[in-house]
Amino acid sequence: MATLLHIDSSVFPGEASSSRSVTAAFRKVWEEQHPEGTVIYRDLAAAPVPHISAAAWSAGYAAPSERTPEQSAAFAARVKLIEELEQADTVLIGAPMYNFSIPSTLKAWLDSVLLLGRTAGEVPSAQGTPVVVVASRGGSYAPGTPREGFEFVQNYLEAVLKDTLGLDLDFIVPELTMAPRNPAMSELVPLYQASRERAFEDATTKAKELAKRLAV
């Protein structure tokens, strides 16, 4: 039975969030393709993962018999998140750009699941799992744009998800999401609309492609 790990991190609810709207579209198609499947859902805005603590971090490098009660409790919370990642057949992440980077709640989740010797290292435990990241942003940071150098979402997530955790990474990038609400960006509304439509099309296509891949 196929398992989808779906993570949202936008502070805005429902359709007010571009990333949530697109992840919802992906999940809808995925569930249609896997009616008997399982979805593990984490809304990091509604129920944040604690930021990494000294106890949670150090416990990963201590033998179980040597951990303090505080370390054991903190590490158990990390293991739960790690096991959710390991059991997933597909991972879906909503990662809006806030101040040129990812939400701190998503960073906290990544800090918990990245464990050297298990999820990271010579043979990462979730290696090869497909992950689709919906990286929405209010402007455009594409190559050749004036703010290309301020793009720290895709670069960072590629380093962590692909190069460190060994996941099979793919991005969907709805951009210029502030255009309908910012008069100074009014001339960019058609580009925003095209980007939004393309994002929903990509979500549908990728969900179906991954369903076929899992069937094989």
Side-chain angles (χ1 to χ4, degrees), residues 73-181:
F75 192 68
R78 289 185 69 186
V79 168
K80 179 175 175 57
L81 299 174
I82 288 169
E83 288 176 344
E84 290 176 353
L85 174 63
E86 291 172 337
Q87 73 185 77
D89 296 292
T90 302
V91 181
L92 172 65
I93 300 175
M97 177 185 282
Y98 292 160
N99 298 319
F100 312 119
S101 188
I102 62 174
S104 64
T105 51
L106 181 55
K107 177 63 163 59
W109 179 82
L110 289 167
D111 285 341
S112 285
V113 300
L114 202 161
L115 180 61
L116 189 62
R118 182 164 177 173
T119 59
E122 287 190 26
V123 184
S125 56
Q127 186 173 37
T129 302
V131 53
V132 176
V133 175
V134 179
S136 59
R137 61 276 315 275
S140 179
Y141 300 80
T145 61
R147 292 212 161 185
E148 174 184 358
F150 289 82
E151 209 300 312
F152 302 111
V153 172
Q154 288 176 264
N155 293 341
Y156 170 71
L157 291 178
E158 183 168 348
V160 176
L161 297 174
K162 180 181 176 181
D163 298 338
T164 304
L165 297 178
L167 305 181
D168 184 3
L169 175 62
D170 205 351
F171 284 105
I172 297 174
V173 185
E175 61 179 8
L176 301 169
T177 62
M178 288 297 296
R181 296 187 289 277

Side-chain angles (χ1 to χ4, degrees), residues 22-105:
V22 178
T23 60
F26 179 103
R27 174 172 169 174
K28 180 176 182 294
V29 175
W30 190 93
E31 289 180 317
E32 290 171 352
Q33 301 295 314
H34 300 285
E36 304 300 322
T38 299
V39 176
I40 301 170
Y41 181 57
R42 284 197 172 269
D43 185 336
L44 299 179
V49 171
H51 286 281
I52 199 77
S53 65
W57 186 271
S58 59
Y61 299 94
S65 61
E66 298 175 353
R67 291 174 189 150
T68 66
E70 182 185 10
Q71 285 178 315
S72 296
F75 192 68
R78 289 185 69 186
V79 168
K80 179 175 175 57
L81 299 174
I82 288 169
E83 288 176 344
E84 290 176 353
L85 174 63
E86 291 172 337
Q87 73 185 77
D89 296 292
T90 302
V91 181
L92 172 65
I93 300 175
M97 177 185 282
Y98 292 160
N99 298 319
F100 312 119
S101 188
I102 62 174
S104 64
T105 51

Side-chain angles (χ1 to χ4, degrees), residues 196-213:
R196 179 178 172 83
E197 290 173 8
R198 187 164 55 250
F200 282 111
E201 290 171 1
D202 286 348
T204 297
T205 299
K206 293 181 192 303
K208 289 181 177 178
E209 287 176 350
L210 289 175
K212 290 180 181 178
R213 187 162 144 187

